[in-house]
C-alpha cells in the first residue's frame, strides 16, 4: 500500500469515526472524539435576537447531545446560562424566568416576559460548568458574557389633552377632577405631579386624596383625582381642622408638571395649567325637572339639546343618560358634551320621527360636588334620613319632536 | 487489497454512521404536559387560562383556592393553586431586597415592580404575591409564590382550574357607555373570605359610592352578589358614604363584624348579620386612629391566648388593638379637638414603620413587606407575635 493510499484511508476512516462518534452508538468513540472537536471548535458566542431570544451558539454538538440526555431543570439550565436585566451580574438575585431548549449547536433562552425597550440585559454562560456537566474536556475556567441594550422606538411624548370640569368656576366642595392624556401614561406616581397653588402662589398640601390604587381607566389615558372627601364633608375631622381644600371666592391654579412619565417613559411634552375661581359650595342634588330640553325637528338629524342649570360630571354624562323611542328601543347616535359640561347633545344615526321620545337618567348621575339624583353628597340625617339606596334608580324626561314646518321649540 | 479493504471499511462506516446519525438526530425533549382529568376541586371551576388584566388583591378561600381581585377587568378570579404542602412549624422567613429579586426574575428594574398584595396560605405557609410588572398600559399581572426557604417562583396561570365572577355586570352598573370608549373602572380595595362568601370592597373612578359586595362561593351561574351602600357615623351631625380602604371580618363574642377603615375617616364596625339582610347598613365608628394617614392592611392574631388586631399604616407605625377593647367599644359621636389626635378604642403603637403588606405566617410570626427607612430597601420580614 502506498503512502498516498494510507493517507486517504486514514482520512476516510477518520471521517467515518467522526460521524459514528456523533451518534449515540459508541460512548467510547464519542468521548474520544469530543476532546478533538472541542479544541478545534470556535469559542462559543452569545447572541441577542430581535425576537427577544438569547442564544449561546457554537457549542459542541456531542456535548449538547449529552446535555439533552441529562434532562436539566430550568434552574440547572439557568446555572449554565443566565440572563439578567441590567449591565452587571447582580450579586444575589435570581436570573430571568424563561424557557431553555437545545437546538443545533446552541442553547436558546426565551424570556417569560418581553424585554423592556431602552433597558440593558446581560447574559452569562459558564463554559467550565458546561464542560463538567457534559463530561467533556475543558481545562480553563471561563465565563462568557455579553450585554445588549434593547433599542427604544421613537415615540411621541404624551400631553394633557383635557382636564374636567372644563369650567373655570368650581364649587368649594368640588369632588373630582378627570385628567385626560393624549397617550397612555405610567402609573404609580400621579400624585407627585399634581400641584395646586393658591392665589399667593403657595402650594397646598394634601388637597388630593392619595389612593393606594390610582384611578385610571383601562387604557391609562384618563386619571380620576379626588379632592380629599374628608376635607369636603362638613363635620368630618379633617374638614373641621384643615378646612375644605378650596375656599369660596379665591383663585387657584392646578399645575400638572411635565416630569410625569408616559407609558413609554417619555416626560410629558409640556406642563399643563388650569386656573379657576371658587364659588359657594353646592349641597343640592341635581334636579332634572329644571333641565331645558330643546327638541329637534322630526325628519331631521339635528341634535337633541339638554341644557343644565349647572355643570354636571363629565364622565357620568357620557354613561348615565340614555335615549329611548316610544317603543322603549334605545336610539343609536353620537353624544357631544359642550359648554363646560352644561349641555348634552345627541345626534341620532337616523332621522327623528314625528312623536315622543324619552331621556332616561340614571340616578347615579352627579354634579361637580358629588351630589347625585338620589342624595346630596352631604346628608344631614336629622333632616333627611335615607331609607333605601334603591329608592330612585332612574328618572325619565319626555319630549316630542317638532313637527315639520313648525318652528317652535318645546320644553 | 489492503487499500480496497480500507476503503470498503471506511465507506461502510460512513454509510452506517450517516444513517444512524440521521436516525438518532438529537431532538429537544418535547414532552407535552398531560392534563390530568381529575374532578374539579370546586364546583364551577374549569381548566383554562384566566384572562387576568391585573392582580390587585388576594385572599385564600377553601383548601388552595386563591381569590384574585382584578381591578382592571372588574372581576374576581378563583384559582386552584394546588398548594398541597403542609408546614406546621413556627419558623420565620426573611428575604432581603425582595423587589430587586423579583425585578431580576421578571427581567425589569425594581421601580417597575409593584407588589399589590400579599397573602399566606395557612396550611403550607407559602406566601403569595400579586405583582404588577411594569407601570405603563402594558403592565402585566404576575402571581408569585415565596417558599419558607426564600425561593421565589412564578405560579403559572395557564391550564389551571379556575372560575370567575365579573363585578361590572351587577345590577345597577352599566357595562359600558353606548356613546364611546368605556372609561369606567372599579378598583378593588380589599377582599376577604368568610362563611362561604367573598366580601369585596371597591371604588369607582366615576361615581362616588361606598360598597361592600358579598359573592357566594362557589361562584354560581347566577351572580348572587348584593350591592351594599355603607353609611357610617362620622362626627357630630353628618353621616355620609365613604369608600373602604381595608377591612377585616372579625368574630367577637356575641357576633361577627366587619371592621372597616376608610380613606378619610376612622375605624368602624358593621355587624355581618346586617350586611346579609339589608341593603343599607349603618356602622358604628369605634376609633379615630389619627389623621393624615391611611390604614393599609388589617389582620387578626393571637398572643398569650388572647385576640388582637394589627393594623399597618401609610403614615403611622403598626398598631395593635386588644380585641376585648373592640368588643367593649362605645360609638364615637364627637370629633377630636386637634389634628392628629386619637380617640375611642386605644391602640399600642408598635415600633415598626413602613409596613406595606401584612399577614399571618404561623402561630408565632406575622409576615410583612416593609420599606426600610434607613436604606430604602424593600424586604420581606417576619415579626415575632410576642413582640407585637
Amino acid at each position: 500500500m502506498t503512502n498516498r493510499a494510507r493517507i486517504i484511508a486514514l482520512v476516510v476512516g477518520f471521517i467515518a469515526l467522526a460521524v459514528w462518534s456523533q451518534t449515540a452508538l459508541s460512548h467510547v468513540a464519542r468521548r474520544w472524539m469530543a476532546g478533538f472537536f472541542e479544541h478545534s471548535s470556535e469559542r462559543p458566542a452569545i447572541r441577542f435576537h430581535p425576537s427577544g431570544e438569547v442564544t449561546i451558539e457554537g457549542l459542541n454538538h456531542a456535548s449538547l447531545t449529552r446535555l439533552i440526555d441529562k434532562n436539566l431543570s430550568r434552574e440547572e439550565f439557568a446555572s449554565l446560562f443566565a440572563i439578567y436585566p441590567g449591565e452587571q451580574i447582580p450579586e444575589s438575585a435570581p436570573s430571568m424566568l424563561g424557557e431553555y431548549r437545545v437546538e443545533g449547536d446552541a442553547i436558546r433562552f426565551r424570556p417569560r416576559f418581553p424585554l423592556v425597550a431602552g433597558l440593558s440585559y446581560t447574559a452569562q454562560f459558564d463554559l467550565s460548568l458546561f464542560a463538567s456537566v457534559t463530561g467533556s474536556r475543558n481545562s480553563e475556567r471561563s465565563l462568557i458574557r455579553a450585554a445588549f441594550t434593547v433599542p427604544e422606538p421613537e415615540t411621541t411624548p404624551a400631553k394633557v389633552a383635557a382636564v374636567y370640569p372644563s369650567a373655570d368656576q368650581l364649587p368649594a366642595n368640588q369632588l373630582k377632577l378627570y385628567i385626560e392624556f393624549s397617550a397612555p401614561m405610567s402609573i404609580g406616581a400621579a400624585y407627585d405631579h399634581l400641584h395646586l397653588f393658591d392665589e399667593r402662589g403657595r402650594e397646598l398640601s394634601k388637597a388630593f386624596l392619595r389612593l393606594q390604587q390610582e384611578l385610571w381607566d383601562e387604557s391609562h389615558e384618563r386619571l380620576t383625582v379626588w379632592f380629599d372627601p374628608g376635607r369636603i364633608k362638613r363635620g368630618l375631622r379633617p374638614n373641621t381642622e384643615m378646612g375644605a381644600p378650596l375656599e369660596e371666592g379665591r383663585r387657584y391654579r392646578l399645575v400638572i408638571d411635565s416630569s410625569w412619565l408616559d407609558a413609554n417613559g417619555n416626560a410629558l411634552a409640556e406642563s399643563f395649567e388650569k386656573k379657576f375661581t371658587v364659588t359657594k359650595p353646592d349641597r343640592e342634588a341635581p334636579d332634572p325637572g329644571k333641565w331645558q330640553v330643546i327638541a329637534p325637528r322630526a325628519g331631521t338629524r339635528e341634535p337633541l339639546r339638554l341644557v343644565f342649570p349647572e355643570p354636571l360630571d363629565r364622565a357620568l354624562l357620557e354613561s348615565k343618560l340614555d335615549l329611548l323611542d316610544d317603543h322603549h328601543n334605545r336610539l343609536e347616535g353620537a353624544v357631544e358634551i359642550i359648554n363646560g359640561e352644561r349641555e348634552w347633545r345627541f345626534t341620532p344615526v337616523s332621522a327623528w320621527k314625528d312623536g315622543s321620545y324619552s331621556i332616561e337618567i340614571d340616578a347615579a348621575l352627579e354634579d361637580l360636588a358629588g351630589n347625585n339624583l338620589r342624595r346630596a353628597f352631604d346628608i344631614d340625617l336629622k333632616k333627611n334620613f335615607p331609607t333605601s339606596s334603591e329608592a330612585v334608580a332612574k328618572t325619565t324626561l319626555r319630549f316630542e319632536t317638532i313637527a315639520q314646518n313648525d318652528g317652535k321649540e318645546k320644553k | 487489497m489492503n487499500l480496497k479493504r480500507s476503503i470498503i471499511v471506511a465507506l461502510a462506516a460512513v454509510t452506517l454512521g450517516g444513517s444512524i446519525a440521521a436516525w438518532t438526530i438529537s431532538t429537544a425533549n418535547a414532552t407535552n404536559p398531560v392534563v390530568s382529568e381529575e374532578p374539579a376541586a370546586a364546583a364551577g371551576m374549569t381548566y383554562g387560562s384566566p384572562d387576568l388584566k391585573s392582580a390587585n388583591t388576594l385572599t385564600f378561600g377553601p383548601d388552595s383556592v386563591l381569590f384574585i381581585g382584578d381591578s382592571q377587568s372588574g372581576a374576581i378570579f378563583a384559582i386552584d393553586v394546588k398548594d398541597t404542602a403542609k408546614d406546621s412549624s413556627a419558623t420565620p422567613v426573611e428575604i432581603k431586597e425582595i423587589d430587586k429579586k423579583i425585578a431580576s426574575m421578571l427581567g425589569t428594574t425594581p421601580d417597575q415592580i409593584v407588589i399589590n398584595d400579599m397573602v399566606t396560605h395557612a396550611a403550607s405557609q407559602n406566601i403569595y404575591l400579586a405583582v404588577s410588572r411594569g407601570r405603563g398600559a402594558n403592565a402585566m399581572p404576575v402571581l408569585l409564590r415565596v417558599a419558607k426557604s426564600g425561593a421565589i417562583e412564578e405560579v403559572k396561570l395557564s391550564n389551571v382550574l379556575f372560575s370567575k365572577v365579573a363585578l361590572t355586570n351587577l345590577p345597577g352598573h352599566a357595562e359600558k357607555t353606548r356613546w364611546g370608549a368605556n372609561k369606567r373602572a372599579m378598583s378593588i380595595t380589599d377582599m376577604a373570605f368568610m362563611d362561604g362568601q367573598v366580601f369585596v370592597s371597591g371604588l369607582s373612578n366615576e361615581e362616588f359610592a361606598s360598597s361592600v359586595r358579598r359573592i357566594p362561593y362557589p361562584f354560581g351561574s347566577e351572580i348572587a352578589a348584593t350591592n351594599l351602600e355603607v353609611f357610617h357615623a362620622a362626627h357630630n351631625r353628618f353621616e355620609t358614604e365613604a369608600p373602604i380602604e381595608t377591612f377585616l371580618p372579625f368574630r367577637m363574642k356575641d357576633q361577627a363584624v366587619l371592621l372597616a377603615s376608610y380613606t378619610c375617616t376612622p375605624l368602624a364596625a358593621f355587624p355581618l348579620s346586617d350586611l346579609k339582610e339589608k341593603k343599607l347598613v349603618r356602622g358604628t365608628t369605634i376609633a379615630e386612629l389619627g389623621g393624615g394617614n391611611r390604614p393599609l392592611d388589617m389582620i387578626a392574631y393571637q398572643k398569650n391566648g388572647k385576640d388582637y388586631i394589627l393594623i399597618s399604616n401609610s403614615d403611622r407605625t403598626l398598631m395593635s388593638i386588644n380585641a376585648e377593647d373592640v368588643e367593649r367599644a362605645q360609638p364615637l359621636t364627637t370629633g377630636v379637638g386637634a389634628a392628629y389626635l386619637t380617640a375611642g378604642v386605644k391602640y399600642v403603637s408598635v415600633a415598626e414603620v413602613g409596613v406595606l403588606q401584612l399577614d399571618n405566617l404561623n402561630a408565632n410570626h406575622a409576615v410583612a413587606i416593609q420599606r426600610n427607612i434607613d436604606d430604602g430597601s424593600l424586604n420581606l420580614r417576619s415579626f415575632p407575635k410576642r413582640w407585637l
Side-chain angles (χ1 to χ4, degrees), chain A residues 332-352:
Chain A
E332 294 300 323
V335 161
E336 244 187 311
I337 297 158
I338 56 168
N339 195 14
E341 293 84 69
R342 285 166 179 269
E343 184 171 335
W344 185 86
R345 284 187 177 192
F346 178 83
T347 306
V349 169
S350 42
W352 298 102

Side-chain angles (χ1 to χ4, degrees), chain A residues 12 94 97 112 114 121 176 187 210 213 218 222 224 226 233 318 322 331 366 375 380-381 385, chain B residues 10 53 71 104-105 107 133 135 154 177-179 188 203 205-206 208 237 239-241 282 294:
Chain A
V12 173
L97 295 178
R112 164 74 178 80
Y121 291 86
K176 282 171 276 181
I187 59 167
R210 282 178 174 254
Q213 289 178 52
E218 199 180 325
R222 189 190 73 183
T224 307
W226 288 356
K233 289 177 196 171
E318 286 177 7
D322 226 337
L331 260 56
E366 294 174 11
R375 49 141 189 85
D380 186 340
L381 290 174
F385 203 85
Chain B
K53 288 185 181 162
S71 289
S104 186
M105 289 173 73
R133 188 229 191 218
R135 291 174 180 273
E154 186 192 6
T177 156
R178 296 172 53 228
W179 319 122
I188 298 165
L203 182 62
N205 67 343
E206 295 189 348
F208 184 80
R237 291 170 63 191
E239 296 197 357
T240 45
E241 295 183 56
R282 190 149 298 125
R294 283 181 302 117

Side-chain angles (χ1 to χ4, degrees), chain B residues 2-243:
Chain B
N2 276 349
L3 176 63
K4 264 188 189 167
R5 196 184 296 159
S6 300
I7 291 169
I8 289 167
V9 167
L11 278 176
V14 166
T15 316
L16 183 69
S19 56
I20 290 172
W23 179 56
T24 59
I25 274 177
S26 56
T27 47
N29 290 2
T31 47
N32 289 317
V34 178
V35 180
S36 55
E37 293 297 329
E38 61 192 276
M45 279 191 163
T46 50
Y47 274 102
S49 304
D51 52 338
L52 277 179
K53 288 185 181 162
S54 64
N56 303 91
T57 53
L58 298 175
T59 195
F60 266 105
D63 303 324
S64 58
V65 172
L66 179 64
F67 296 107
I68 304 182
D70 175 356
S71 289
Q72 203 151 135
S73 358
I76 310 282
F77 290 84
I79 296 170
D80 187 352
V81 292
K82 304 233 159 114
D83 191 338
T84 51
K86 294 270 179 280
D87 183 354
S88 53
S89 70
T91 51
V93 55
E94 304 281 332
I95 300 179
K96 287 204 162 55
E97 299 191 316
I98 190 165
D99 55 338
K100 287 189 183 170
K101 292 189 166 75
I102 293 172
S104 186
M105 289 173 73
L106 306 189
T108 188
T109 46
D111 65 317
Q112 294 297 309
I113 295 296
V114 187
I115 300 174
N116 295 313
D117 204 3
M118 177 188 77
V119 69
T120 306
H121 184 239
S124 66
Q125 296 188 29
N126 283 325
I127 299 160
Y128 288 75
L129 303 175
V131 171
S132 197
R133 188 229 191 218
R135 291 174 180 273
N138 52 3
M140 297 169 82
V142 185
L143 182 65
L144 298 175
R145 176 165 40 221
V146 181
K148 271 271 192 71
S149 64
I152 307 170
E153 62 172 340
E154 186 192 6
V155 182
K156 291 263 171 68
L157 295 178
S158 55
N159 199 20
V160 290
L161 263 182
F162 81 104
S163 58
K164 173 187 179 179
V165 62
L167 300 176
T168 43
N169 291 340
L170 297 179
H173 283 271
E175 254 181 85
K176 65 199 286 186
T177 156
R178 296 172 53 228
W179 319 122
N182 183 19
K183 293 174 187 164
R184 190 177 184 282
M186 207 194 88
S187 292
I188 298 165
T189 54
D190 204 1
M191 233 167 32
F193 182 74
M194 194 184 192
D195 297 340
Q197 298 181 96
V198 187
F199 290 82
V200 183
S201 62
L203 182 62
S204 153
N205 67 343
E206 295 189 348
E207 64 265 33
F208 184 80
S210 174
S211 67
V212 171
R213 295 186 171 96
R214 296 177 305 111
I215 306 169
Y217 180 81
F219 302 145
S221 54
E222 200 177 314
I223 301 170
T226 318
N227 210 349
L228 298 174
E229 284 184 343
V230 185
F231 282 74
H232 67 93
H235 303 123
N236 305 330
R237 291 170 63 191
F238 299 101
E239 296 197 357
T240 45
E241 295 183 56

